Amino acid sequence: MKRIKRLSALAALSMAVASLVAIPSAKAAVTITVMTPNYTDAMPAFYKDLNDRFMAANPDIKVVQTNLSWDDILVKGRTLVARNSTPDILNLNTFSDYAAAGLLYKATDIFDSKKMADFVPAFVENSKYNGDAYAVPDLASARMFFYNKQVLYSSGVDKVPTTWDEVTAAAKKIKAKYPKIYPIAIPLGQEEAQGEFQIWAGGNGGRYFDSAAKKWVINSQANVDTLKYLTSLVKAKLTQPNPASTNRTDAFKLFAQGKVGMINASVFFPSTLRDYKSKVDYGVAPFPHSATGHSITLGVQDYFMAFKKPGNQDAVTKYLNFLFDANNYAGFLRAAGGFIPATKSASTTVDSSLLPFINALPSAIFYPGDLAAWPKVAGTITTQVGGGINKDPKKVLDAIQMVAEAAGTK
């Protein structure tokens, strides 16, 4: 009798073990890290809501998201890569050096053909390295010529300047009428000197890289002449003091306070003026060009990229597709504050204030962001080109050219 009971107990135990083996194990949670820049103060709240909803819909994925200032993310993002401690998803203004190092998924590994087709083609082209997109655009910016209507017209200027000569003439009239107002702001400080210089040089036919010849042309005559022209404005005291150390943010504040007559600014500038509670009545026009050049706009875009890590592809795919869902992406654009949408579908519902910038995109030139060397070259331009105001412009651009050539053309 005891033997039968013992056998029955063993049988029961065997059945219990078998049943446990048959039950599928719970799927292990995956944690992904997401690092993003703080376009506006609304971004943290946007991401908290987005991440909470994403994790509720995907309980097997945990999102750890960090929102940083642009200054911090530019440093920290590169530091993490150098330490081989990359986030799973990064939102930044460059990607090609990471693509060149084989660190990124292709965009087509993350998005299907329908979603890829919805991205604005020009922005997708600017997201490619060696012919393949390794990132997707999150938003874009273009530059226009902003001016204080009251200051410009009351100074006796009857039309918005379209050429450099007209800019100089208008600036002299503003200075004569309003000695305490800076006629034009030229921020060549380290925040974004590469953008300020490029839009002026672009209107003179100047570029950083010649794609057809596959060579750097930073010290071209067109660029040298541009730096000489900007220097002439500074020497005539038609700009704010110390352009080489003035950051874009500083110049924006001066314009918002009514202390600047004319300025180069981005598509998000109107929202910045609202944030500053500015009462300036401003106008927007195409950017002035040299006598031999033509008006251009500088197209700038930022990117989302996903880093290759064991077991994370499904999670980053779900997250990025969730972010670019129509409603979620609309929320992203609202929080970011007045940028050009990166998708065709979103471009049909933009605020009318964005239309001049969207209409200017056919004349846009872009940074050579498809070159792995670009981040290093851009950093050198940012820190050194402003020095051309106080030093020999040719020597300053020659020095940057040497850095670019050493960095390579791939």
Side-chain angles (χ1 to χ4, degrees):
M1 193 70 179
K2 290 182 180 180
R3 178 179 171 82
I4 294 174
K5 288 182 178 180
R6 188 175 181 183
L7 288 173
S8 297
L10 288 172
L13 179 61
S14 298
M15 290 177 65
V17 171
S19 64
L20 287 173
V21 172
I23 296 174
S25 59
K27 189 174 181 180
V30 174
T31 297
I32 59 171
T33 54
V34 181
M35 186 176 292
T36 58
N38 197 39
Y39 287 106
T40 71
D41 291 341
M43 296 307 295
F46 164 77
Y47 274 114
K48 183 181 186 309
D49 172 69
L50 181 82
N51 295 337
D52 286 348
R53 289 187 291 108
F54 176 78
M55 288 188 287
N58 299 273
D60 58 325
I61 302 174
K62 180 181 179 181
V63 178
V64 177
Q65 194 259 342
T66 305
N67 204 63
L68 300 171
S69 71
W70 269 105
D71 287 343
D72 288 342
I73 198 170
L74 289 171
V75 174
K76 189 169 184 178
R78 302 200 180 288
T79 300
L80 290 174
V81 171
R83 293 177 179 174
N84 197 28
S85 182
T86 61
D88 293 272
I89 295 172
L90 179 62
N91 182 193
L92 203 61
N93 57 0
T94 58
F95 75 97
S96 53
D97 46 349
Y98 305 144
L103 300 176
L104 303 178
Y105 288 111
K106 292 182 181 179
T108 51
D109 293 332
I110 305 297
F111 298 100
D112 63 25
S113 58
K114 182 178 180 181
K115 176 57 70 174
M116 288 298 299
D118 189 38
F119 288 108
V120 175
F123 300 153
V124 174
E125 283 299 312
N126 209 41
S127 305
K128 291 182 177 180
Y129 174 74
N130 277 353
D132 291 309
Y134 282 90
V136 292
D138 63 325
L139 44 73
S141 172
R143 309 299 170 89
M144 301 287 280
F145 193 62
F146 284 73
Y147 57 95
N148 183 317
K149 291 181 179 180
Q150 190 275 328
V151 168
L152 186 70
Y153 295 130
S154 66
S155 298
V157 180
D158 56 7
K159 73 181 187 70
V160 182
T162 59
T163 67
W164 290 359
D165 287 343
E166 291 174 358
V167 168
T168 302
K172 289 179 178 178
K173 289 184 177 182
I174 292 173
K175 183 177 177 62
K177 177 74 173 179
Y178 300 102
K180 294 185 179 180
I181 290 178
Y182 306 124
I184 186 164
I186 302 176
L188 290 171
Q190 294 188 22
E191 183 180 356
E192 212 201 19
Q194 84 284 356
E196 182 70 21
F197 182 70
Q198 179 62 98
I199 195 164
W200 284 101
N204 191 37
R207 302 291 188 270
Y208 290 137
F209 188 78
D210 185 333
S211 298
K214 297 187 183 304
K215 65 178 183 178
W216 294 100
V217 289
I218 295 169
N219 62 348
S220 67
Q221 191 61 49
N223 287 345
V224 172
D225 290 343
T226 299
L227 201 44
K228 287 181 177 179
Y229 171 69
L230 297 179
T231 299
S232 74
L233 294 176
V234 177
K235 288 183 176 179
K237 296 185 177 180
L238 300 175
T239 72
Q240 83 284 5
N242 304 315
S245 59
T246 302
N247 283 326
R248 178 181 65 176
T249 303
D250 304 323
F252 284 1
K253 287 180 180 177
L254 289 173
F255 187 92
Q257 295 165 353
K259 296 179 180 179
V260 166
M262 302 173 285
I263 193 172
N264 154 44
S266 302
V267 66
F268 59 82
F269 192 44
S271 65
T272 300
L273 293 174
R274 288 193 293 271
D275 291 341
Y276 288 145
K277 295 180 171 54
S278 176
K279 296 181 180 179
V280 171
D281 181 17
Y282 65 87
V284 181
F287 206 82
H289 54 87
S290 71
T292 58
H294 64 274
S295 182
I296 58 95
T297 187
L298 176 62
V300 179
Q301 69 186 66
D302 298 333
Y303 311 87
F304 271 106
M305 62 205 81
F307 287 82
K308 294 178 181 177
K309 290 185 179 180
N312 78 338
Q313 184 172 356
D314 180 64
V316 297
T317 295
K318 287 179 178 177
Y319 185 85
L320 287 173
N321 277 273
F322 187 76
L323 172 61
F324 279 97
D325 170 79
N327 290 331
N328 292 335
Y329 183 54
F332 174 85
L333 291 172
R334 286 193 299 270
F339 284 91
I340 297 172
T343 64
K344 299 174 189 174
S345 54
S347 297
T348 61
T349 59
V350 298
D351 185 278
S352 59
S353 65
L354 297 181
L355 294 179
F357 297 89
I358 294 175
N359 292 337
L361 287 176
S363 67
I365 62 173
F366 290 88
Y367 298 133
D370 58 340
L371 301 179
W374 170 241
K376 180 177 182 179
V377 176
T380 305
I381 296 170
T382 300
T383 57
Q384 294 186 20
V385 75
I389 297 296
N390 305 311
K391 302 175 184 177
D392 183 332
K394 179 70 164 58
K395 289 183 178 179
V396 169
L397 294 178
D398 280 346
I400 300 173
Q401 176 77 14
M402 288 179 64
V403 171
E405 290 177 351
T409 58
K410 295 183 178 181

